[in-house]
Each structure stands twice: as C-alpha cells, then as structure tokens.
PDB file of all heavy atoms in Angstrom:
ATOM      1  N   LYS A  29       0.820  -1.213   0.000  1.00 97.00           N
ATOM      2  CA  LYS A  29       0.000   0.000   0.000  1.00 97.00           C
ATOM      3  C   LYS A  29       0.855   1.264   0.000  1.00 97.00           C
ATOM      4  O   LYS A  29       0.368   2.339  -0.352  1.00 97.00           O
ATOM      5  CB  LYS A  29      -0.925   0.008   1.225  1.00 97.00           C
ATOM      6  CG  LYS A  29      -1.942  -1.111   1.249  1.00 97.00           C
ATOM      7  CD  LYS A  29      -2.774  -1.042   2.513  1.00 97.00           C
ATOM      8  CE  LYS A  29      -3.783  -2.188   2.581  1.00 97.00           C
ATOM      9  NZ  LYS A  29      -4.571  -2.146   3.842  1.00 97.00           N
ATOM     10  N   GLN A  30       2.094   1.133   0.426  1.00 98.00           N
ATOM     11  CA  GLN A  30       2.999   2.281   0.512  1.00 98.00           C
ATOM     12  C   GLN A  30       3.882   2.412  -0.732  1.00 98.00           C
ATOM     13  O   GLN A  30       4.864   3.167  -0.728  1.00 98.00           O
ATOM     14  CB  GLN A  30       3.868   2.170   1.760  1.00 98.00           C
ATOM     15  CG  GLN A  30       3.092   2.009   3.047  1.00 98.00           C
ATOM     16  CD  GLN A  30       2.034   3.081   3.242  1.00 98.00           C
ATOM     17  OE1 GLN A  30       2.311   4.272   3.166  1.00 98.00           O
ATOM     18  NE2 GLN A  30       0.791   2.658   3.485  1.00 98.00           N
ATOM     19  N   VAL A  31       3.545   1.695  -1.787  1.00 98.00           N
ATOM     20  CA  VAL A  31       4.290   1.741  -3.053  1.00 98.00           C
ATOM     21  C   VAL A  31       3.332   2.168  -4.155  1.00 98.00           C
ATOM     22  O   VAL A  31       2.357   1.465  -4.443  1.00 98.00           O
ATOM     23  CB  VAL A  31       4.898   0.362  -3.382  1.00 98.00           C
ATOM     24  CG1 VAL A  31       5.621   0.399  -4.723  1.00 98.00           C
ATOM     25  CG2 VAL A  31       5.843  -0.093  -2.263  1.00 98.00           C
ATOM     26  N   GLN A  32       3.602   3.331  -4.758  1.00 98.00           N
ATOM     27  CA  GLN A  32       2.736   3.837  -5.817  1.00 98.00           C
ATOM     28  C   GLN A  32       3.579   4.383  -6.960  1.00 98.00           C
ATOM     29  O   GLN A  32       4.636   4.984  -6.731  1.00 98.00           O
ATOM     30  CB  GLN A  32       1.824   4.949  -5.293  1.00 98.00           C
ATOM     31  CG  GLN A  32       0.801   4.476  -4.270  1.00 98.00           C
ATOM     32  CD  GLN A  32      -0.111   5.602  -3.818  1.00 98.00           C
ATOM     33  OE1 GLN A  32       0.313   6.731  -3.667  1.00 98.00           O
ATOM     34  NE2 GLN A  32      -1.386   5.278  -3.614  1.00 98.00           N
ATOM     35  N   VAL A  33       3.096   4.174  -8.172  1.00 97.00           N
ATOM     36  CA  VAL A  33       3.714   4.762  -9.361  1.00 97.00           C
ATOM     37  C   VAL A  33       2.672   5.632 -10.042  1.00 97.00           C
ATOM     38  O   VAL A  33       1.586   5.159 -10.374  1.00 97.00           O
ATOM     39  CB  VAL A  33       4.236   3.676 -10.324  1.00 97.00           C
ATOM     40  CG1 VAL A  33       4.666   4.290 -11.647  1.00 97.00           C
ATOM     41  CG2 VAL A  33       5.397   2.920  -9.694  1.00 97.00           C
ATOM     42  N   GLU A  34       3.024   6.904 -10.210  1.00 94.00           N
ATOM     43  CA  GLU A  34       2.087   7.848 -10.810  1.00 94.00           C
ATOM     44  C   GLU A  34       2.870   9.011 -11.403  1.00 94.00           C
ATOM     45  O   GLU A  34       3.829   9.513 -10.794  1.00 94.00           O
ATOM     46  CB  GLU A  34       1.106   8.370  -9.755  1.00 94.00           C
ATOM     47  CG  GLU A  34       0.003   9.229 -10.312  1.00 94.00           C
ATOM     48  CD  GLU A  34      -1.016   9.632  -9.258  1.00 94.00           C
ATOM     49  OE1 GLU A  34      -0.939   9.106  -8.121  1.00 94.00           O
ATOM     50  OE2 GLU A  34      -1.867  10.467  -9.565  1.00 94.00           O
ATOM     51  N   GLY A  35       2.481   9.436 -12.609  1.00 94.00           N
ATOM     52  CA  GLY A  35       3.098  10.595 -13.232  1.00 94.00           C
ATOM     53  C   GLY A  35       4.578  10.445 -13.492  1.00 94.00           C
ATOM     54  O   GLY A  35       5.326  11.420 -13.430  1.00 94.00           O
ATOM     55  N   GLY A  36       5.016   9.231 -13.781  1.00 96.00           N
ATOM     56  CA  GLY A  36       6.425   9.007 -14.062  1.00 96.00           C
ATOM     57  C   GLY A  36       7.318   9.005 -12.847  1.00 96.00           C
ATOM     58  O   GLY A  36       8.541   9.180 -12.955  1.00 96.00           O
ATOM     59  N   GLU A  37       6.730   8.791 -11.654  1.00 97.00           N
ATOM     60  CA  GLU A  37       7.505   8.727 -10.421  1.00 97.00           C
ATOM     61  C   GLU A  37       7.073   7.527  -9.576  1.00 97.00           C
ATOM     62  O   GLU A  37       5.900   7.151  -9.561  1.00 97.00           O
ATOM     63  CB  GLU A  37       7.322   9.987  -9.573  1.00 97.00           C
ATOM     64  CG  GLU A  37       7.991  11.213 -10.113  1.00 97.00           C
ATOM     65  CD  GLU A  37       7.789  12.409  -9.197  1.00 97.00           C
ATOM     66  OE1 GLU A  37       7.172  12.270  -8.115  1.00 97.00           O
ATOM     67  OE2 GLU A  37       8.237  13.509  -9.581  1.00 97.00           O
ATOM     68  N   LEU A  38       8.044   6.968  -8.877  1.00 98.00           N
ATOM     69  CA  LEU A  38       7.769   5.986  -7.842  1.00 98.00           C
ATOM     70  C   LEU A  38       7.720   6.720  -6.513  1.00 98.00           C
ATOM     71  O   LEU A  38       8.607   7.526  -6.211  1.00 98.00           O
ATOM     72  CB  LEU A  38       8.874   4.922  -7.810  1.00 98.00           C
ATOM     73  CG  LEU A  38       8.890   3.998  -6.596  1.00 98.00           C
ATOM     74  CD1 LEU A  38       7.685   3.056  -6.615  1.00 98.00           C
ATOM     75  CD2 LEU A  38      10.194   3.205  -6.548  1.00 98.00           C
ATOM     76  N   ARG A  39       6.685   6.443  -5.728  1.00 98.00           N
ATOM     77  CA  ARG A  39       6.554   7.059  -4.414  1.00 98.00           C
ATOM     78  C   ARG A  39       6.522   5.946  -3.355  1.00 98.00           C
ATOM     79  O   ARG A  39       5.659   5.066  -3.396  1.00 98.00           O
ATOM     80  CB  ARG A  39       5.280   7.897  -4.340  1.00 98.00           C
ATOM     81  CG  ARG A  39       5.142   8.712  -3.061  1.00 98.00           C
ATOM     82  CD  ARG A  39       3.852   9.520  -3.096  1.00 98.00           C
ATOM     83  NE  ARG A  39       3.904  10.553  -4.105  1.00 98.00           N
ATOM     84  CZ  ARG A  39       4.271  11.810  -3.884  1.00 98.00           C
ATOM     85  NH1 ARG A  39       4.608  12.183  -2.662  1.00 98.00           N
ATOM     86  NH2 ARG A  39       4.286  12.683  -4.867  1.00 98.00           N
ATOM     87  N   LEU A  40       7.486   6.001  -2.433  1.00 98.00           N
ATOM     88  CA  LEU A  40       7.534   5.079  -1.306  1.00 98.00           C
ATOM     89  C   LEU A  40       7.182   5.872  -0.049  1.00 98.00           C
ATOM     90  O   LEU A  40       7.788   6.904   0.221  1.00 98.00           O
ATOM     91  CB  LEU A  40       8.925   4.458  -1.165  1.00 98.00           C
ATOM     92  CG  LEU A  40       9.442   3.694  -2.386  1.00 98.00           C
ATOM     93  CD1 LEU A  40      10.866   3.203  -2.136  1.00 98.00           C
ATOM     94  CD2 LEU A  40       8.533   2.521  -2.728  1.00 98.00           C
ATOM     95  N   SER A  41       6.202   5.382   0.714  1.00 98.00           N
ATOM     96  CA  SER A  41       5.660   6.175   1.815  1.00 98.00           C
ATOM     97  C   SER A  41       5.816   5.486   3.164  1.00 98.00           C
ATOM     98  O   SER A  41       5.977   4.269   3.257  1.00 98.00           O
ATOM     99  CB  SER A  41       4.175   6.470   1.561  1.00 98.00           C
ATOM    100  OG  SER A  41       4.002   7.179   0.358  1.00 98.00           O
ATOM    101  N   PHE A  42       5.760   6.315   4.205  1.00 98.00           N
ATOM    102  CA  PHE A  42       5.759   5.872   5.594  1.00 98.00           C
ATOM    103  C   PHE A  42       4.544   6.503   6.254  1.00 98.00           C
ATOM    104  O   PHE A  42       4.346   7.713   6.188  1.00 98.00           O
ATOM    105  CB  PHE A  42       7.039   6.330   6.299  1.00 98.00           C
ATOM    106  CG  PHE A  42       7.181   5.814   7.706  1.00 98.00           C
ATOM    107  CD1 PHE A  42       7.982   4.716   7.982  1.00 98.00           C
ATOM    108  CD2 PHE A  42       6.521   6.430   8.765  1.00 98.00           C
ATOM    109  CE1 PHE A  42       8.113   4.241   9.280  1.00 98.00           C
ATOM    110  CE2 PHE A  42       6.635   5.951  10.061  1.00 98.00           C
ATOM    111  CZ  PHE A  42       7.443   4.851  10.320  1.00 98.00           C
ATOM    112  N   ALA A  43       3.706   5.664   6.884  1.00 98.00           N
ATOM    113  CA  ALA A  43       2.462   6.179   7.460  1.00 98.00           C
ATOM    114  C   ALA A  43       1.995   5.273   8.592  1.00 98.00           C
ATOM    115  O   ALA A  43       2.442   4.128   8.729  1.00 98.00           O
ATOM    116  CB  ALA A  43       1.379   6.261   6.389  1.00 98.00           C
ATOM    117  N   GLU A  44       1.080   5.789   9.403  1.00 97.00           N
ATOM    118  CA  GLU A  44       0.453   4.971  10.432  1.00 97.00           C
ATOM    119  C   GLU A  44      -0.350   3.859   9.784  1.00 97.00           C
ATOM    120  O   GLU A  44      -0.977   4.062   8.738  1.00 97.00           O
ATOM    121  CB  GLU A  44      -0.468   5.828  11.302  1.00 97.00           C
ATOM    122  CG  GLU A  44       0.240   6.575  12.411  1.00 97.00           C
ATOM    123  CD  GLU A  44      -0.733   7.271  13.341  1.00 97.00           C
ATOM    124  OE1 GLU A  44      -1.630   7.964  12.829  1.00 97.00           O
ATOM    125  OE2 GLU A  44      -0.595   7.124  14.577  1.00 97.00           O
ATOM    126  N   GLY A  45      -0.334   2.705  10.404  1.00 96.00           N
ATOM    127  CA  GLY A  45      -1.113   1.590   9.895  1.00 96.00           C
ATOM    128  C   GLY A  45      -0.716   0.316  10.602  1.00 96.00           C
ATOM    129  O   GLY A  45       0.459  -0.053  10.614  1.00 96.00           O
ATOM    130  N   LYS A  46      -1.664  -0.336  11.222  1.00 88.00           N
ATOM    131  CA  LYS A  46      -1.385  -1.546  12.002  1.00 88.00           C
ATOM    132  C   LYS A  46      -1.190  -2.733  11.083  1.00 88.00           C
ATOM    133  O   LYS A  46      -2.015  -3.020  10.212  1.00 88.00           O
ATOM    134  CB  LYS A  46      -2.553  -1.801  12.962  1.00 88.00           C
ATOM    135  CG  LYS A  46      -2.392  -3.025  13.824  1.00 88.00           C
ATOM    136  CD  LYS A  46      -1.404  -2.811  14.950  1.00 88.00           C
ATOM    137  CE  LYS A  46      -1.405  -3.998  15.903  1.00 88.00           C
ATOM    138  NZ  LYS A  46      -0.317  -3.947  16.873  1.00 88.00           N
ATOM    139  N   ALA A  47      -0.079  -3.445  11.256  1.00 89.00           N
ATOM    140  CA  ALA A  47       0.175  -4.690  10.532  1.00 89.00           C
ATOM    141  C   ALA A  47       1.092  -5.542  11.384  1.00 89.00           C
ATOM    142  O   ALA A  47       2.142  -5.073  11.828  1.00 89.00           O
ATOM    143  CB  ALA A  47       0.806  -4.416   9.174  1.00 89.00           C
ATOM    144  N   ALA A  48       0.689  -6.784  11.612  1.00 81.00           N
ATOM    145  CA  ALA A  48       1.448  -7.681  12.499  1.00 81.00           C
ATOM    146  C   ALA A  48       1.634  -6.976  13.844  1.00 81.00           C
ATOM    147  O   ALA A  48       0.669  -6.518  14.433  1.00 81.00           O
ATOM    148  CB  ALA A  48       2.758  -8.081  11.846  1.00 81.00           C
ATOM    149  N   ASP A  49       2.873  -6.850  14.320  1.00 89.00           N
ATOM    150  CA  ASP A  49       3.107  -6.220  15.622  1.00 89.00           C
ATOM    151  C   ASP A  49       3.696  -4.821  15.484  1.00 89.00           C
ATOM    152  O   ASP A  49       4.320  -4.304  16.400  1.00 89.00           O
ATOM    153  CB  ASP A  49       4.037  -7.092  16.467  1.00 89.00           C
ATOM    154  CG  ASP A  49       5.373  -7.337  15.778  1.00 89.00           C
ATOM    155  OD1 ASP A  49       5.492  -7.046  14.573  1.00 89.00           O
ATOM    156  OD2 ASP A  49       6.309  -7.819  16.451  1.00 89.00           O
ATOM    157  N   ARG A  50       3.489  -4.179  14.323  1.00 95.00           N
ATOM    158  CA  ARG A  50       4.022  -2.835  14.101  1.00 95.00           C
ATOM    159  C   ARG A  50       2.869  -1.844  13.924  1.00 95.00           C
ATOM    160  O   ARG A  50       1.813  -2.183  13.411  1.00 95.00           O
ATOM    161  CB  ARG A  50       4.917  -2.799  12.854  1.00 95.00           C
ATOM    162  CG  ARG A  50       6.119  -3.761  12.892  1.00 95.00           C
ATOM    163  CD  ARG A  50       7.158  -3.297  13.898  1.00 95.00           C
ATOM    164  NE  ARG A  50       8.423  -4.005  13.755  1.00 95.00           N
ATOM    165  CZ  ARG A  50       8.746  -5.120  14.396  1.00 95.00           C
ATOM    166  NH1 ARG A  50       7.871  -5.689  15.199  1.00 95.00           N
ATOM    167  NH2 ARG A  50       9.929  -5.680  14.238  1.00 95.00           N
ATOM    168  N   LYS A  51       3.126  -0.592  14.323  1.00 96.00           N
ATOM    169  CA  LYS A  51       2.103   0.453  14.231  1.00 96.00           C
ATOM    170  C   LYS A  51       2.185   1.239  12.930  1.00 96.00           C
ATOM    171  O   LYS A  51       1.314   2.057  12.655  1.00 96.00           O
ATOM    172  CB  LYS A  51       2.259   1.449  15.379  1.00 96.00           C
ATOM    173  CG  LYS A  51       2.076   0.898  16.761  1.00 96.00           C
ATOM    174  CD  LYS A  51       2.107   2.086  17.725  1.00 96.00           C
ATOM    175  CE  LYS A  51       2.416   1.623  19.138  1.00 96.00           C
ATOM    176  NZ  LYS A  51       2.518   2.792  20.032  1.00 96.00           N
ATOM    177  N   TYR A  52       3.262   1.019  12.158  1.00 98.00           N
ATOM    178  CA  TYR A  52       3.480   1.833  10.963  1.00 98.00           C
ATOM    179  C   TYR A  52       3.710   0.941   9.743  1.00 98.00           C
ATOM    180  O   TYR A  52       4.129  -0.219   9.862  1.00 98.00           O
ATOM    181  CB  TYR A  52       4.682   2.759  11.163  1.00 98.00           C
ATOM    182  CG  TYR A  52       4.531   3.668  12.348  1.00 98.00           C
ATOM    183  CD1 TYR A  52       5.132   3.357  13.570  1.00 98.00           C
ATOM    184  CD2 TYR A  52       3.774   4.835  12.264  1.00 98.00           C
ATOM    185  CE1 TYR A  52       4.990   4.180  14.670  1.00 98.00           C
ATOM    186  CE2 TYR A  52       3.622   5.673  13.365  1.00 98.00           C
ATOM    187  CZ  TYR A  52       4.228   5.341  14.560  1.00 98.00           C
ATOM    188  OH  TYR A  52       4.073   6.159  15.654  1.00 98.00           O
ATOM    189  N   LEU A  53       3.425   1.508   8.573  1.00 98.00           N
ATOM    190  CA  LEU A  53       3.641   0.841   7.300  1.00 98.00           C
ATOM    191  C   LEU A  53       4.699   1.605   6.508  1.00 98.00           C
ATOM    192  O   LEU A  53       4.753   2.840   6.557  1.00 98.00           O
ATOM    193  CB  LEU A  53       2.339   0.791   6.491  1.00 98.00           C
ATOM    194  CG  LEU A  53       1.134   0.126   7.157  1.00 98.00           C
ATOM    195  CD1 LEU A  53      -0.090   0.274   6.276  1.00 98.00           C
ATOM    196  CD2 LEU A  53       1.416  -1.346   7.455  1.00 98.00           C
ATOM    197  N   CYS A  54       5.526   0.881   5.757  1.00 98.00           N
ATOM    198  CA  CYS A  54       6.583   1.525   4.985  1.00 98.00           C
ATOM    199  C   CYS A  54       6.754   0.813   3.642  1.00 98.00           C
ATOM    200  O   CYS A  54       6.242  -0.297   3.442  1.00 98.00           O
ATOM    201  CB  CYS A  54       7.898   1.555   5.755  1.00 98.00           C
ATOM    202  SG  CYS A  54       8.387   0.003   6.539  1.00 98.00           S
ATOM    203  N   GLY A  55       7.467   1.454   2.708  1.00 98.00           N
ATOM    204  CA  GLY A  55       7.518   0.959   1.341  1.00 98.00           C
ATOM    205  C   GLY A  55       8.904   0.597   0.859  1.00 98.00           C
ATOM    206  O   GLY A  55       9.884   1.285   1.167  1.00 98.00           O
ATOM    207  N   GLU A  56       8.962  -0.483   0.076  1.00 98.00           N
ATOM    208  CA  GLU A  56      10.231  -0.934  -0.498  1.00 98.00           C
ATOM    209  C   GLU A  56       9.972  -1.715  -1.778  1.00 98.00           C
ATOM    210  O   GLU A  56       9.012  -2.482  -1.866  1.00 98.00           O
ATOM    211  CB  GLU A  56      10.981  -1.828   0.490  1.00 98.00           C
ATOM    212  CG  GLU A  56      12.281  -2.407  -0.061  1.00 98.00           C
ATOM    213  CD  GLU A  56      12.986  -3.322   0.930  1.00 98.00           C
ATOM    214  OE1 GLU A  56      12.532  -4.486   1.105  1.00 98.00           O
ATOM    215  OE2 GLU A  56      13.958  -2.871   1.546  1.00 98.00           O
ATOM    216  N   ILE A  57      10.839  -1.524  -2.769  1.00 98.00           N
ATOM    217  CA  ILE A  57      10.879  -2.408  -3.931  1.00 98.00           C
ATOM    218  C   ILE A  57      12.300  -2.915  -4.105  1.00 98.00           C
ATOM    219  O   ILE A  57      13.272  -2.293  -3.660  1.00 98.00           O
ATOM    220  CB  ILE A  57      10.384  -1.732  -5.229  1.00 98.00           C
ATOM    221  CG1 ILE A  57      11.330  -0.605  -5.668  1.00 98.00           C
ATOM    222  CG2 ILE A  57       8.962  -1.232  -5.075  1.00 98.00           C
ATOM    223  CD1 ILE A  57      11.025  -0.086  -7.074  1.00 98.00           C
ATOM    224  N   GLN A  58      12.426  -4.061  -4.762  1.00 98.00           N
ATOM    225  CA  GLN A  58      13.729  -4.658  -5.040  1.00 98.00           C
ATOM    226  C   GLN A  58      13.657  -5.381  -6.382  1.00 98.00           C
ATOM    227  O   GLN A  58      12.596  -5.822  -6.805  1.00 98.00           O
ATOM    228  CB  GLN A  58      14.134  -5.624  -3.934  1.00 98.00           C
ATOM    229  CG  GLN A  58      13.119  -6.724  -3.681  1.00 98.00           C
ATOM    230  CD  GLN A  58      13.494  -7.644  -2.538  1.00 98.00           C
ATOM    231  OE1 GLN A  58      14.320  -8.542  -2.704  1.00 98.00           O
ATOM    232  NE2 GLN A  58      12.875  -7.417  -1.378  1.00 98.00           N
ATOM    233  N   THR A  59      14.808  -5.463  -7.035  1.00 98.00           N
ATOM    234  CA  THR A  59      14.839  -6.205  -8.293  1.00 98.00           C
ATOM    235  C   THR A  59      14.781  -7.700  -8.016  1.00 98.00           C
ATOM    236  O   THR A  59      15.238  -8.176  -6.978  1.00 98.00           O
ATOM    237  CB  THR A  59      16.099  -5.894  -9.097  1.00 98.00           C
ATOM    238  OG1 THR A  59      17.268  -6.214  -8.321  1.00 98.00           O
ATOM    239  CG2 THR A  59      16.150  -4.439  -9.526  1.00 98.00           C
ATOM    240  N   LYS A  60      14.233  -8.434  -8.954  1.00 97.00           N
ATOM    241  CA  LYS A  60      14.273  -9.890  -8.870  1.00 97.00           C
ATOM    242  C   LYS A  60      15.620 -10.417  -9.347  1.00 97.00           C
ATOM    243  O   LYS A  60      16.103 -11.441  -8.862  1.00 97.00           O
ATOM    244  CB  LYS A  60      13.131 -10.478  -9.703  1.00 97.00           C
ATOM    245  CG  LYS A  60      11.758 -10.132  -9.150  1.00 97.00           C
ATOM    246  CD  LYS A  60      10.636 -10.764  -9.958  1.00 97.00           C
ATOM    247  CE  LYS A  60       9.283 -10.474  -9.336  1.00 97.00           C
ATOM    248  NZ  LYS A  60       8.168 -11.087 -10.090  1.00 97.00           N
ATOM    249  N   ALA A  61      16.234  -9.711 -10.294  1.00 98.00           N
ATOM    250  CA  ALA A  61      17.541 -10.111 -10.824  1.00 98.00           C
ATOM    251  C   ALA A  61      18.664  -9.601  -9.934  1.00 98.00           C
ATOM    252  O   ALA A  61      18.491  -8.678  -9.124  1.00 98.00           O
ATOM    253  CB  ALA A  61      17.710  -9.572 -12.244  1.00 98.00           C
ATOM    254  N   ARG A  62      19.838 -10.194 -10.118  1.00 98.00           N
ATOM    255  CA  ARG A  62      21.045  -9.780  -9.402  1.00 98.00           C
ATOM    256  C   ARG A  62      22.019  -9.136 -10.384  1.00 98.00           C
ATOM    257  O   ARG A  62      22.175  -9.603 -11.509  1.00 98.00           O
ATOM    258  CB  ARG A  62      21.700 -10.992  -8.719  1.00 98.00           C
ATOM    259  CG  ARG A  62      20.766 -11.707  -7.760  1.00 98.00           C
ATOM    260  CD  ARG A  62      21.443 -12.904  -7.110  1.00 98.00           C
ATOM    261  NE  ARG A  62      20.485 -13.694  -6.341  1.00 98.00           N
ATOM    262  CZ  ARG A  62      20.798 -14.745  -5.592  1.00 98.00           C
ATOM    263  NH1 ARG A  62      22.066 -15.150  -5.509  1.00 98.00           N
ATOM    264  NH2 ARG A  62      19.866 -15.399  -4.922  1.00 98.00           N
ATOM    265  N   PHE A  63      22.667  -8.077  -9.913  1.00 98.00           N
ATOM    266  CA  PHE A  63      23.541  -7.283 -10.758  1.00 98.00           C
ATOM    267  C   PHE A  63      24.956  -7.273 -10.200  1.00 98.00           C
ATOM    268  O   PHE A  63      25.170  -7.436  -9.003  1.00 98.00           O
ATOM    269  CB  PHE A  63      23.000  -5.857 -10.871  1.00 98.00           C
ATOM    270  CG  PHE A  63      21.625  -5.796 -11.476  1.00 98.00           C
ATOM    271  CD1 PHE A  63      20.497  -6.027 -10.696  1.00 98.00           C
ATOM    272  CD2 PHE A  63      21.451  -5.550 -12.826  1.00 98.00           C
ATOM    273  CE1 PHE A  63      19.220  -5.997 -11.245  1.00 98.00           C
ATOM    274  CE2 PHE A  63      20.180  -5.511 -13.395  1.00 98.00           C
ATOM    275  CZ  PHE A  63      19.078  -5.741 -12.603  1.00 98.00           C
ATOM    276  N   GLY A  64      25.925  -7.068 -11.083  1.00 98.00           N
ATOM    277  CA  GLY A  64      27.323  -7.094 -10.683  1.00 98.00           C
ATOM    278  C   GLY A  64      28.021  -5.775 -10.952  1.00 98.00           C
ATOM    279  O   GLY A  64      27.445  -4.700 -10.797  1.00 98.00           O
ATOM    280  N   TYR A  65      29.286  -5.850 -11.372  1.00 98.00           N
ATOM    281  CA  TYR A  65      30.085  -4.657 -11.592  1.00 98.00           C
ATOM    282  C   TYR A  65      29.431  -3.750 -12.623  1.00 98.00           C
ATOM    283  O   TYR A  65      28.935  -4.198 -13.656  1.00 98.00           O
ATOM    284  CB  TYR A  65      31.486  -5.046 -12.049  1.00 98.00           C
ATOM    285  CG  TYR A  65      32.236  -5.893 -11.046  1.00 98.00           C
ATOM    286  CD1 TYR A  65      32.852  -7.089 -11.433  1.00 98.00           C
ATOM    287  CD2 TYR A  65      32.320  -5.515  -9.709  1.00 98.00           C
ATOM    288  CE1 TYR A  65      33.538  -7.866 -10.517  1.00 98.00           C
ATOM    289  CE2 TYR A  65      32.998  -6.288  -8.778  1.00 98.00           C
ATOM    290  CZ  TYR A  65      33.606  -7.471  -9.195  1.00 98.00           C
ATOM    291  OH  TYR A  65      34.273  -8.245  -8.288  1.00 98.00           O
ATOM    292  N   GLY A  66      29.422  -2.460 -12.315  1.00 98.00           N
ATOM    293  CA  GLY A  66      28.806  -1.503 -13.210  1.00 98.00           C
ATOM    294  C   GLY A  66      28.430  -0.239 -12.474  1.00 98.00           C
ATOM    295  O   GLY A  66      28.872   0.016 -11.344  1.00 98.00           O
ATOM    296  N   THR A  67      27.572   0.556 -13.102  1.00 98.00           N
ATOM    297  CA  THR A  67      27.156   1.857 -12.581  1.00 98.00           C
ATOM    298  C   THR A  67      25.698   1.796 -12.161  1.00 98.00           C
ATOM    299  O   THR A  67      24.824   1.439 -12.953  1.00 98.00           O
ATOM    300  CB  THR A  67      27.346   2.939 -13.651  1.00 98.00           C
ATOM    301  OG1 THR A  67      28.729   2.977 -14.030  1.00 98.00           O
ATOM    302  CG2 THR A  67      26.951   4.312 -13.121  1.00 98.00           C
TER     303      THR A  67
END
C-alpha cells in the first residue's frame, strides 16, 4: 500500500497503519535479478 507509481515517479511512503506487531507501514521495492560490476 505504501508503493505507488504515478506521473512518471515511484513514491515510497511511511504512514500509520497496524500490521502484524508494528504500528506503521513503509515501502520498499527490489529487483528480482542480481547485478554485478557496473554503474
């Protein structure tokens, strides 16, 4: 819920929201592939 793409931007958010034993919700994305030497 804290991951949104709109208007050519990715938005990762932090907000109040109960889940499991935490009071807050936060956002993260990660690649499925693995990368090596480069930029």
Side-chain angles (χ1 to χ4, degrees):
K29 296 178 182 178
Q30 305 307 307
V31 178
Q32 294 182 323
V33 171
E34 187 175 352
E37 288 181 3
L38 167 69
R39 187 179 292 266
L40 302 177
S41 300
F42 185 100
E44 277 187 311
K46 180 75 173 170
D49 58 347
R50 302 290 193 269
K51 297 187 200 177
Y52 302 99
L53 303 175
C54 47
E56 177 182 76
I57 66 169
Q58 56 183 281
T59 58
K60 294 182 176 181
R62 303 180 188 185
F63 300 82
Y65 299 129
T67 301

